[in-house]
Amino acid sequence: MTNPQIPKTAPAVFFEKANGPITFVVDHPVTQPEDLKPGEVLVRIEATGVCHTDLHSWKGDWPLESKKPLVGGHEGAGRIVAIADGTMTQFKIGDAVGIKWLADSCLNCENCRIGAEATCALAKLHGYTVDGSFQRYAVSFAKHCTPIPDGLPLEVAAPILCAGVTVWKAIKEANCMPGAWCVVSGAGGGLGHLAVQYAAAIGLRVVGIDTGADKKKLLDQYGAEGFIDYMQFESDAMINEIKRVCSGEGPHAAIITSASGSAYNQALDYLRPHGALVAVGLPPDTYIKANVFSTVVKNLRIVGSYVGNRQDAIEALDFAARGKVKPQMVCEPLKNLESVYKRMEEGAIPGRIVLRC
């Protein structure tokens, strides 16, 4: 099944070596319908978010090496324009879909069967092990495409497909009841500002940790009940302040989206008994140092949360479609990607950048 208007070439951004030149071209080859393999679809990308993972992919500073040359990107929202012959799928030409970090998995192994597809040994990753969404036409895998709800603008859906899914999964991993206190570290960032909204939407009492009056104002609008500026406190005083704000006992959960290593070890000191530290952010060369005695006596949980599964993605988009969650974002053209990376490294991007393809 195909759309006859598919061109032979289209704009894309790619790199050929880690930390090497980032190249924008208008004539990148487009995979043609007859070249799709069973199970694959061709998506005309209209909007794609830019994630710190994309920056890591380009810089090559993760243990897993990415493919080269590589078209990055994994927050792509667009419409299906071709479906490979022999593909069994609920999708049809013209359907709005999202392509995410997890491009494909076997769906047969134990990890896949329990809904942990991201840890499948055969997982493929958009913008890392296979080409991603920094191009106008991207090949994806039908069984892992996410349907985008009718009426949800694609530029809004794009950042939900990674940042939104990731923090929604993390909040589910915290396993908190409505009314529980939840601290979000790095609350004003691309992940954190969405975590605040998801947590508030399910009835958690949210305290944001970040710095600056602008971020406090933003998080107040998103439902944060408290805000703590980490620049105003030394470490011990910070821990005491968090406990004080969270009814004197500390929070039930800490969602760490920050790129600061200190945020992890502080959390173990301010969590109340039975509290959960949910690790999301990936600061380099960081180790969580947990005192065994206090961890056992307080019944603390330390949980790593990677990315959400197919159902988590559908749920995350549903919040956005119902107006409960809205990413703070600025839209720019695809050719600006190199500039976006530079601003990311400088910490100069509030919320999320979405590129129009």
Side-chain angles (χ1 to χ4, degrees):
M1 292 182 286
T2 183
N3 181 331
Q5 304 304 315
I6 297 170
K8 298 293 185 182
T9 62
V13 182
F14 65 93
F15 62 89
E16 296 187 347
K17 66 178 182 177
N19 217 21
I22 295 171
T23 305
F24 170 77
V25 296
V26 297
D27 58 353
H28 189 73
V30 174
T31 300
Q32 295 301 295
E34 60 271 20
D35 297 321
L36 293 172
K37 300 174 184 176
E40 293 181 341
V41 296
L42 185 65
V43 181
R44 199 294 190 189
I45 302 292
E46 296 187 22
T48 178
V50 185
C51 175
H52 267 87
T53 298
D54 299 315
L55 181 61
H56 289 297
S57 177
W58 167 56
K59 293 182 74 68
D61 56 6
W62 278 4
L64 174 65
E65 186 175 350
S66 67
K67 76 176 284 288
K68 307 289 191 310
L70 177 71
V71 176
H74 60 275
E75 294 183 349
R79 297 186 180 278
I80 292 177
V81 294
I83 301 173
D85 291 341
T87 299
M88 297 183 64
T89 179
Q90 77 275 26
F91 294 119
K92 60 184 185 302
I93 300 299
D95 282 352
V97 298
I99 64 173
K100 312 179 296 299
W101 174 245
L102 182 62
D104 196 22
S105 70
C106 75
L107 296 186
N108 292 316
C109 67
E110 179 181 6
N111 288 326
C112 286
R113 292 196 305 270
I114 65 172
E117 303 101 310
T119 51
C120 173
L122 299 178
K124 297 177 181 179
L125 308 174
H126 276 128
Y128 211 93
T129 62
V130 298
D131 286 339
S133 56
F134 293 154
Q135 55 184 331
R136 187 167 292 171
Y137 289 88
V139 175
S140 191
F141 300 83
K143 61 188 179 184
H144 277 283
C145 284
T146 301
I148 294 176
D150 291 342
L152 182 63
L154 296 185
E155 65 270 18
V156 175
I160 298 295
L161 292 163
C162 179
V165 175
T166 297
V167 297
W168 171 234
K169 179 66 170 183
I171 290 167
K172 292 172 72 173
E173 293 281 8
N175 197 29
C176 289
M177 299 294 290
W181 287 98
C182 177
V183 162
V184 177
S185 180
L191 291 171
H193 84 288
L194 290 170
V196 168
Q197 294 178 68
Y198 280 108
I202 63 170
L204 302 185
R205 303 180 70 178
V206 189
V207 175
I209 299 176
D210 216 306
T211 187
D214 290 344
K215 288 185 177 178
K216 180 183 185 304
K217 182 178 179 181
L218 176 70
L219 296 173
D220 286 346
Q221 297 171 357
Y222 286 151
E225 192 167 328
F227 179 84
I228 297 174
D229 191 326
Y230 66 81
M231 292 296 291
Q232 298 181 6
F233 297 93
E234 297 295 332
S235 181
D236 288 345
M238 174 89 163
I239 290 166
N240 291 332
E241 178 66 6
I242 294 170
K243 288 183 177 180
R244 185 193 68 79
V245 172
C246 297
S247 70
E249 298 180 67
H252 299 82
I255 311 295
I256 311 297
T257 66
S258 170
S260 167
S262 63
Y264 279 99
N265 291 310
Q266 284 179 343
L268 293 173
D269 289 326
Y270 63 65
L271 283 168
R272 68 174 63 195
H274 306 283
L277 185 165
V278 185
V280 180
L282 296 172
D285 300 319
T286 296
Y287 295 85
I288 298 174
K289 298 179 181 179
N291 179 280
V292 173
F293 183 85
S294 61
T295 301
V296 171
V297 171
K298 291 177 67 178
N299 283 274
L300 297 179
R301 291 186 298 124
I302 301 174
V303 184
S305 186
Y306 181 24
V307 292
N309 60 27
R310 292 171 299 158
Q311 179 62 25
D312 296 323
I314 289 171
E315 293 168 0
L317 285 169
D318 179 64
F319 278 94
R322 291 185 288 118
K324 301 296 183 181
V325 170
K326 185 175 182 180
Q328 181 194 23
M329 62 188 189
V330 174
C331 292
E332 300 187 17
L334 180 63
K335 65 181 181 180
N336 283 14
L337 179 61
E338 184 172 7
S339 167
V340 173
Y341 281 167
K342 289 179 180 178
R343 282 174 276 159
M344 272 187 165
E345 291 190 284
E346 295 166 356
I349 295 178
R352 216 67 167 173
I353 298 292
V354 173
L355 304 177
R356 297 187 183 279
C357 297

